[in-house]
């Protein structure tokens, strides 16, 4: 999730300081970007004119219409735009902490300074343990502030350097949850964002069995999505645009090649297949489509549980008003009913284990997962380096 932070002098919603104290930072910047080329083109899927429009119900914009079919999550938290695009959920991450620390007067700055002044962390002899304590405290302090600002759940990033350590992930989540409990943040308001390695998926399974909600990210293949659903992950996040970008610049991934042969966009096809798998087989997981690049992507995914859309797309939807003689139809493309008729191969219906999971990960998923983990790990290191420079805070 990207965040655009503002720190007004008296209120987070104040308009008097809209031009000051702003910072934008993107979660995807933690991952090396893949250059776009247009060696391949993908079919466009348009909303059908053969269905009655959601706007017949009295809705006046495209944004209203699509919001009736999927929960639209803004890919930004802009305090100036709470009324236009109220954020329903948020993520606290290492990239967010970096952004907060780069501004002297954001509304979250005091949360970080309080974390760095924590006496428990200060008393730890080991520098590594002390830094880990500060990092955890900062995530939780900022996360608790976000819980007060959004009506939905706040997802807390788990250190990507633990991605291949199931027990390390579980210990980290327990540590974070304990800190949240100490400041009375209800566990039902929390998710813990874990990379979708096999070890991360196993950690999700064990945590969910304890009633702890998990958010599995960096999903780029069907085997990851299916294994995550079997593990009982609360939220599964697929990056539509990143899969497409890989396909435009590479070849040799069987899953992507199969989608292209069917004339489908591989990113959209992965979301469709994962959604149908989850709903056809009765898994509890909610599916989140991220890296949605334009309105066409969004229209093609209507019906999925969550769509993370960038501000430019939301603004375009909000500004698109239909007239009585210009009906615009919106179709729910994903639904439990359509999932019931979707066919899966025997190989796709296996009980996933580490061996068949590893053998089913194509080159796209392997490369994109590695790039994502590297980016997140780099961000975490930068946070630790920055904390080392500014600790202790000036007021301690």
């Amino acid at each position: 999730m990207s965040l655009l932070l503002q720190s007004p002098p008296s209120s987070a919603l104040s308009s008097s300081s809209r031009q000051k104290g702003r910072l934008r930072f993107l979660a995807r910047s933690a991952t090396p970007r893949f250059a776009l080329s247009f060696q391949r083109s993908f079919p466009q899927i348009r909303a059908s004119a053969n269905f009655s429009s959601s706007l017949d119900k009295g809705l006046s914009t495209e944004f209203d219409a699509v919001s009736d079919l999927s929960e639209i999550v803004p890919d930004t938290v802009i305090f100036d735009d709470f009324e236009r695009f109220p954020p329903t959920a948020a993520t606290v991450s290492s990239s967010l902490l970096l952004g907060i620390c780069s501004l002297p007067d954001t509304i979250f700055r005091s949360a970080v300074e309080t974390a760095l002044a924590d006496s428990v962390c200060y008393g730890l002899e080991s520098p590594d343990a002390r830094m880990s304590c500060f990092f955890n405290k900062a995530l939780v302090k900022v996360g608790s502030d976000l819980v007060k600002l959004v009506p939905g759940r706040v997802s807390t990033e788990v250190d990507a350097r633990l991605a291949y350590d199931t027990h390390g992930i579980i210990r980290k989540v327990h540590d974070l949850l304990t800190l949240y409990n100490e400041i009375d943040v209800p566990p039902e308001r929390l998710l813990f964002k874990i990379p979708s390695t096999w070890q991360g998926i196993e950690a999700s399974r064990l945590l969910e069995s304890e009633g702890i909600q998990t958010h599995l990210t960096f999903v780029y293949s069907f085997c990851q999505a299916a294994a995550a659903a079997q593990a009982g992950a609360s939220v599964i996040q697929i990056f539509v645009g990143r899969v497409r970008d890989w396909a435009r610049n590479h070849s040799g991934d069987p899953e992507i090649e199969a989608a292209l042969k069917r004339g489908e966009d591989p990113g959209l096809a992965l979301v469709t297949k994962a959604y149908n798998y989850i709903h056809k087989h009765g898994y509890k997981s909610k599916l989140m489509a991220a890296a949605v690049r334009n309105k066409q992507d969004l229209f093609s995914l209507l019906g999925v549980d969550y769509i993370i859309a960038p501000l430019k797309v939301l603004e375009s939807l909000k500004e698109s008003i239909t007239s009585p003689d210009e009906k615009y139809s919106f179709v729910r493309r994903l639904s439990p009913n359509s999932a019931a008729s979707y066919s899966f191969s025997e190989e796709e219906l296996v009980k996933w284990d580490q061996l068949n999971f590893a053998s089913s990960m194509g080159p796209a998923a392997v490369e994109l997962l590695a790039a994502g983990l590297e980016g997140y790990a780099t961000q975490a290191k930068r946070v630790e380096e920055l904390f080392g420079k500014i600790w202790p805070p000036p007021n301690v």
Side-chain angles (χ1 to χ4, degrees):
M1 172 182 285
S2 67
L3 295 109
L4 181 58
L5 299 181
Q6 174 188 350
S7 54
S10 60
S11 167
L13 297 175
S14 169
S15 61
S16 62
S17 57
R18 290 184 180 181
Q19 303 305 319
K20 298 180 181 180
R22 290 185 171 182
L23 170 71
R24 183 172 186 145
F25 44 95
L26 301 173
R28 61 177 172 269
S29 66
T31 303
R33 295 187 179 186
F34 295 89
L36 282 175
S37 68
F38 296 94
Q39 299 169 351
R40 304 186 181 197
S41 60
F42 302 113
Q44 291 198 347
I45 307 173
R46 302 187 179 279
S48 169
N50 297 324
F51 291 78
S52 62
S53 172
S54 296
L55 298 172
D56 290 338
K57 301 177 182 178
L59 304 176
S60 58
T61 68
E62 291 181 350
F63 181 81
D64 294 324
V66 299
S67 297
D68 201 37
L69 298 170
S70 291
E71 182 170 340
I72 309 300
V73 181
D75 192 22
T76 181
V77 175
I78 304 178
F79 296 118
D80 284 347
D81 290 312
F82 264 18
E83 291 186 3
R84 287 197 304 154
F85 306 112
T88 57
T91 297
V92 56
S93 63
S94 52
S95 62
L96 175 55
L97 295 181
L98 282 173
I100 292 169
C101 292
S102 70
L103 290 177
D105 59 350
T106 72
I107 62 172
F108 300 112
R109 179 71 182 210
S110 62
V112 173
E113 290 182 348
T114 300
L116 292 178
D118 187 85
S119 59
V120 173
C121 300
Y122 178 78
L124 297 174
E125 294 184 4
S126 166
D128 289 343
R130 187 186 306 122
M131 186 56 65
S132 178
C133 182
F134 285 142
F135 205 141
N136 289 350
K137 291 275 187 175
L139 287 170
V140 169
K141 291 290 186 183
V142 174
S144 67
D145 283 352
L146 287 171
V147 165
K148 300 170 187 175
L149 291 173
V150 300
R153 294 177 291 188
V154 170
S155 187
T156 303
E157 177 185 293
V158 175
D159 194 335
R161 292 169 292 185
L162 300 172
Y164 294 97
D165 181 355
T166 296
H167 296 294
I169 292 171
I170 292 172
R171 284 193 299 270
K172 177 65 73 173
V173 170
H174 285 164
D175 290 345
L176 293 168
L177 187 58
T178 297
L179 294 176
Y180 275 118
N181 288 337
E182 289 175 357
I183 53 178
D184 298 322
V185 177
E188 60 270 17
R189 296 293 309 281
L190 300 171
L191 289 162
F192 293 94
K193 194 172 185 179
I194 299 169
S196 293
T197 59
W198 175 256
Q199 291 80 4
I201 292 170
E202 274 294 282
S204 171
R205 180 180 65 80
L206 294 169
L207 290 165
E208 291 281 352
S209 71
E210 300 176 24
I212 299 172
Q213 298 178 112
T214 60
H215 170 179
L216 283 173
T217 189
F218 293 150
V219 174
Y220 302 107
S221 66
F222 175 73
C223 68
Q224 288 176 290
Q230 290 182 4
S234 295
V235 176
I236 301 170
Q237 184 172 356
I238 295 175
F239 292 86
V240 176
R242 295 183 192 177
V243 174
R244 178 187 303 143
D245 292 346
W246 192 96
R248 282 172 170 162
N249 292 278
H250 304 80
S251 61
D253 186 289
E255 192 171 333
I256 287 177
E257 295 298 330
L260 294 174
K261 286 181 181 178
R262 297 192 301 268
E264 299 175 356
D265 177 288
L268 299 176
L270 177 56
V271 173
T272 299
K273 191 173 186 178
Y275 178 93
N276 289 333
Y277 180 82
I278 290 167
H279 285 271
K280 182 168 185 173
H281 299 287
Y283 294 110
K284 73 168 190 177
S285 304
K286 301 294 184 183
L287 192 62
M288 176 180 287
V292 170
R293 301 285 170 77
N294 50 56
K295 288 202 296 186
Q296 188 62 58
D297 284 348
L298 191 148
F299 294 153
S300 301
L301 294 169
L302 289 179
V304 73
D305 301 292
Y306 307 105
I307 300 175
I308 300 181
L311 186 62
K312 65 179 181 179
V313 172
L314 298 184
E315 288 174 337
S316 177
L317 292 170
K318 199 77 170 181
E319 292 167 1
S320 299
I321 300 175
T322 57
S323 60
D325 60 343
E326 192 178 39
K327 299 292 179 82
Y328 202 112
S329 298
F330 294 87
V331 179
R332 178 168 184 170
R333 297 194 170 277
L334 302 176
S335 71
N337 288 338
S338 63
S341 60
Y342 194 92
S343 297
F344 293 91
S345 67
E346 291 183 6
E347 292 79 8
E348 293 167 338
L349 295 177
V350 299
K351 175 66 176 175
W352 292 96
D353 57 33
Q354 187 170 7
L355 182 61
N356 58 28
F357 179 87
S359 64
S360 298
M361 285 277 285
V366 170
E367 291 177 21
L368 291 170
L369 175 60
L373 292 175
E374 181 182 2
Y376 271 34
T378 298
Q379 294 280 19
K381 291 176 184 177
R382 289 180 60 196
V383 170
E384 292 174 345
E385 291 170 359
L386 185 57
F387 280 4
K389 292 177 181 177
I390 66 177
W391 180 83
N395 59 344
V396 176

